[in-house]
Amino acid sequence: LQKKEEKKFRDLIVQLFKLRLKLIKYNHLIAPTVEIIASIGIAASIYHAARVEISLEDLTPIIMALYLSYEPIKKLGSIYARIRQCTAALDRIEYILDHPIVIEDPKQPEPFENIKGKVEFQNVEFSYDNDSPALNKIDVTVNAGQIVALVGPSGAGKTTFANLLMRFHDPSSGKVRIDGKDLRSITQADLRSQIAYVPQNPILFNDSVRNNILLGKTDSSHLTTEEAGRKAYAHEFIEDLPDGYNTQIGERGSRLSGGQIQRIAIARALIRNAPILILDEATSALDSESEQTIQQALRNLVEGKTVFIIAHRFSTISLADRILVFENGRTVGDGTHKELIKECDLYRRLHDGQK
Ligand code: ADP
């Protein structure tokens, strides 16, 4: 790939270089052009004055005036060049500013604080770009404090389900409610302040471990950074880092292993202490020791919260008291592991497949 990418880069640089040259050429052309035109003008006036015999006293102010107007005209030329440059920049800003806002906050939002965490999907349908629906007639009620695993083959709609709960999209029909309140009747900021989200590939910033964990901190946090680190089974390895919690972790956590990044993300979610937790389990393989530690950390994290886990491993599913099985945007199974093994063909196949 190296040669191909180098060529692509070189072609772009050459193109940029040519455009720059053109810009410099036109910028520098302005002054001589104006000068030539002005000189011709002055020469022509002197010539004309000599022909019609205008006296020197009359001619001098005219020449002076012409000479004085010469600088402003030169400046006008360069202003035009600046305006063209700014128009190009403005086009790019407008592209962002004029982008339609799809999700809007209500004008008179309902209060949304100290929620318990009951979640309802009522006859929810949703499709991206009007293709076949990504979610089809989803009817689910999850009580506060329940731990729900979302399982199913890839593309079944698990992520879309979680995205609708965080209101990254609105359903095309049906309603999503938390504690009985339609998500469209509350502000996005209020909604998201009540949710902790651990994505599949957590994003860490090039900052200290401590600041990365503290990113999750809200008013309802009752843990210290170290307590969160302990509960996330991350304390030991963090203490072993050169500066402990103050160690800089590099771009996107490049100095840490995949399992360590996940445990820092769990500590961040722990300190957040939100009543609703959404967890997108990483698919990447971990060694069995890391996997066990993460399972223990998750056990601490899910305690007392309404939890949705997009689960890929059956060891994680064992954390859940209820499992929703997705297939082609529908829920085809809803129950405990024991019930689903008996009743749901797809669940049994997924289970046997992983074994
Ligand atoms: P899962 O999480 O179960 O793997 P998803 O919720 O990601 O499934 O996807 C459900 C369906 O929606 C799939 O058919 C997928 O191709 C489609 N889909 C997901 N995200 C997008 C998107 N941003 N734009 C268009 N289609 C999408």
Side-chain angles (χ1 to χ4, degrees):
L1 270 178
Q2 196 171 338
K3 278 219 173 80
K4 225 163 124 184
E5 291 301 315
E6 263 175 18
K7 182 169 173 342
K8 225 158 73 185
F9 185 65
R10 194 176 316 120
D11 289 350
L12 278 174
I13 292 291
V14 168
Q15 212 182 337
L16 179 68
F17 180 67
K18 282 186 181 155
L19 285 173
R20 276 248 161 238
L21 276 184
K22 226 163 147 181
L23 191 72
I24 291 168
K25 187 169 86 182
Y26 288 131
N27 260 334
H28 286 251
L29 259 176
I30 294 170
T33 312
V34 173
E35 251 165 78
I36 288 171
I37 294 173
S39 317
I40 293 173
I42 291 172
S45 12
I46 294 176
Y47 178 72
H48 184 69
R51 277 201 37 195
V52 298
E53 293 178 4
I54 296 176
S55 68
L56 192 63
E57 287 131 65
D58 289 339
L59 184 65
T60 318
I62 296 174
I63 305 269
M64 277 303 282
L66 274 175
Y67 186 74
L68 287 176
S69 61
Y70 161 80
E71 266 305 309
I73 290 175
K74 229 167 61 177
K75 273 194 190 138
L76 273 181
S78 60
I79 284 177
Y80 178 70
R82 279 294 291 159
I83 288 177
R84 290 297 299 253
Q85 280 181 15
C86 291
T87 323
L90 200 64
D91 278 348
R92 282 188 278 175
I93 294 172
E94 272 181 350
Y95 173 79
I96 294 169
L97 290 182
D98 291 349
H99 221 74
I101 296 168
V102 204
I103 306 283
E104 289 199 67
D105 280 341
K107 296 225 161 52
Q108 272 151 351
E110 289 189 49
F112 194 69
E113 280 171 351
N114 302 324
I115 62 150
K116 303 221 156 42
K118 178 178 177 183
V119 172
E120 289 162 279
F121 275 63
Q122 192 181 48
N123 219 355
V124 168
E125 286 192 37
F126 175 77
S127 60
Y128 298 93
D129 315 324
N130 296 324
D131 290 347
S132 57
L135 287 183
N136 201 343
K137 295 205 164 54
I138 301 286
D139 253 313
V140 173
T141 302
V142 174
N143 287 325
Q146 214 166 32
I147 300 171
V148 182
L150 313 175
V151 300
S154 154
K158 306 176 296 283
T159 311
T160 309
F161 182 92
N163 287 347
L164 258 64
L165 184 55
M166 291 182 275
R167 205 171 170 221
F168 291 148
H169 311 284
D170 278 332
S172 4
S173 68
K175 287 199 169 119
V176 183
R177 290 202 179 94
I178 296 179
D179 280 17
K181 284 184 183 154
D182 189 331
L183 297 194
R184 278 178 280 213
S185 70
I186 55 183
T187 67
Q188 294 163 72
D190 281 349
L191 168 69
R192 289 172 198 157
S193 70
Q194 302 295 319
I195 296 179
Y197 173 49
V198 183
Q200 230 179 48
N201 298 306
I203 294 176
L204 298 188
F205 296 97
N206 191 4
D207 201 337
S208 64
V209 176
R210 180 182 308 282
N211 285 341
N212 266 287
I213 295 177
L214 282 174
L215 263 186
K217 196 161 175 69
T218 54
D219 294 341
S220 68
S221 301
H222 57 276
L223 294 178
T224 65
T225 316
E226 282 78 5
E227 281 166 344
R230 274 204 189 88
K231 283 195 147 191
Y233 286 84
H235 187 74
E236 270 179 35
F237 87 77
I238 295 174
E239 289 280 271
D240 283 346
L241 293 172
D243 287 322
Y245 280 84
N246 297 321
T247 310
Q248 297 288 317
I249 54 176
E251 207 58 62
R252 293 212 156 206
S254 55
R255 280 171 220 162
L256 302 170
S257 76
Q260 289 172 333
I261 291 176
Q262 282 175 28
R263 278 180 276 161
I264 290 183
I266 291 172
R268 189 192 273 172
L270 272 161
I271 213 166
R272 192 164 173 76
N273 192 31
I276 296 176
L277 171 70
I278 297 171
L279 218 138
D280 197 349
E281 188 183 25
T283 42
S284 53
L286 294 169
D287 59 82
S288 63
E289 197 189 318
S290 288
E291 193 169 326
Q292 269 178 9
T293 342
I294 286 176
Q295 291 294 327
Q296 284 164 317
L298 287 181
R299 249 170 241 284
N300 285 336
L301 180 59
V302 299
E303 208 181 278
K305 312 265 188 271
T306 308
V307 185
F308 295 87
I309 312 176
I310 301 175
H312 305 290
R313 296 184 182 78
F314 275 82
S315 51
T316 313
I317 295 174
S318 69
L319 288 173
D321 12 84
R322 179 176 171 190
I323 300 156
L324 288 175
V325 188
F326 281 79
E327 186 176 31
N328 295 328
R330 291 171 187 275
T331 42
V332 295
D334 180 356
T336 60
H337 174 75
K338 259 194 195 146
E339 288 163 358
L340 290 170
I341 281 284
K342 258 192 260 159
E343 293 157 15
C344 180
D345 287 341
L346 176 61
Y347 185 76
R348 201 175 323 114
R349 265 186 282 134
L350 289 169
H351 181 255
D352 293 345
Q354 203 162 94
K355 261 182 136 178

